[in-house]
Amino acid sequence: DAGDYNCSVSYNNLISSEDTAALSVVSLSVSTDNVLVFSGTDSSTIVCTATGAPPNTLQWVNSNGTIINTTASDANSAIVQKGSFDGMSQHINLTIQDGHKDEMYTCEVTWDMDEFKDYASIVVVDHPIITATGGTWNVYDGRTTTVTCSYFTTNAIIPTVIWSFNGDTVLATRNNSTLGESYYEISSASASDAGDYNCSVSYNNLISSEGVLQQSDQL
């Protein structure tokens, strides 16, 4: 429906006056992400993003229905920092400084006569325990092999798995977070592929465990 609407006023087929009104259609959406916080963490931040149009209001509300502003703090020492509209979106950050507890926050956005809401939860968990297991592989020259790294995590978290070969980062062929396995495939193995394949399993930028996977140089 967006476009120019022309209003022509005439009498007896004589156009005496006309004017044009332009109509633009704007769509606005709001999105947030939940945050998993380790117990004892000093601070954490959740972000709300309004996309599509500069909102009239953009604010965080706690579970008691209280608006959290940039100067006052609620019971969780929460502070809000709001960015400016950059032509596409506007962000509002909610930082919990201390006293973390499980709680849900609401991001409220208004534009014209419409109101949008999205919800973000802070969930406090104990630090995860992550273990990774490696092994040794003997491969014939020219054959294809898959090196596997098995890992176990607590708290049902999905960690980040980074592979390296002799110290250089390489990409995993595939990951299966459900089974707790990551794979690196070597096609047409040659002597240059022999060495240590390191599987680093981490969460929240904390490296919890590493498994060294050795491929024999007897190809």
Side-chain angles (χ1 to χ4, degrees):
D1 297 316
D4 292 337
Y5 289 81
N6 184 273
C7 172
S8 175
V9 181
S10 64
Y11 177 75
N12 199 26
N13 295 324
L14 298 175
I15 297 177
S16 57
S17 181
E18 63 179 343
D19 201 356
T20 301
L23 173 68
S24 61
V25 178
V26 177
S27 61
L28 182 67
S29 62
V30 56
S31 61
T32 63
D33 290 314
N34 296 329
V35 174
L36 196 65
V37 178
F38 294 136
S39 57
T41 301
D42 292 333
S43 66
S44 60
T45 300
I46 51 180
V47 180
C48 176
T49 304
T51 304
N56 299 122
T57 62
L58 178 59
Q59 60 193 19
W60 280 105
V61 178
N62 65 17
S63 56
N64 296 323
T66 303
I67 297 173
I68 308 168
N69 57 46
T70 55
T71 57
S73 298
D74 69 357
N76 283 343
S77 297
I79 293 180
V80 169
Q81 293 177 310
K82 185 189 299 184
S84 57
F85 186 71
D86 62 6
M88 295 183 60
S89 61
Q90 184 174 3
H91 304 276
I92 184 169
N93 298 347
L94 173 63
T95 299
I96 309 300
Q97 293 186 309
D98 53 40
H100 282 87
K101 64 179 181 180
D102 291 352
E103 187 161 357
M104 185 174 70
Y105 296 88
T106 304
C107 179
E108 296 183 345
V109 182
T110 60
W111 184 80
D112 199 11
M113 301 297 292
D114 296 319
E115 182 179 51
F116 306 83
K117 292 183 179 181
D118 202 1
Y119 305 91
S121 295
I122 290 183
V123 180
V124 181
V125 298
D126 293 329
H127 281 268
I129 299 173
I130 302 177
T131 56
T133 305
T136 301
W137 282 260
N138 293 316
V139 185
Y140 287 106
D141 188 22
R143 296 287 182 88
T144 297
T145 187
T146 300
V147 183
T148 304
C149 172
S150 300
Y151 57 86
F152 168 79
T153 67
T154 60
N155 299 333
I157 65 170
I158 299 177
T160 299
V161 182
I162 298 177
W163 285 85
S164 63
F165 171 55
N166 290 337
D168 295 326
T169 300
V170 293
L171 298 177
T173 305
R174 62 189 184 279
N175 293 301
N176 190 327
S177 57
T178 303
L179 296 178
E181 292 180 332
S182 182
Y183 312 90
Y184 182 73
E185 185 176 280
I186 304 167
S187 301
S188 301
S190 64
S192 61
D193 295 313
D196 291 340
Y197 291 82
N198 183 274
C199 168
S200 173
V201 183
S202 64
Y203 182 77
N204 202 29
N205 296 322
L206 301 174
I207 294 179
S208 299
S209 185
E210 293 184 339
V212 177
L213 315 166
Q214 294 181 330
Q215 182 188 347
S216 172
D217 58 1
Q218 298 176 355
L219 298 172

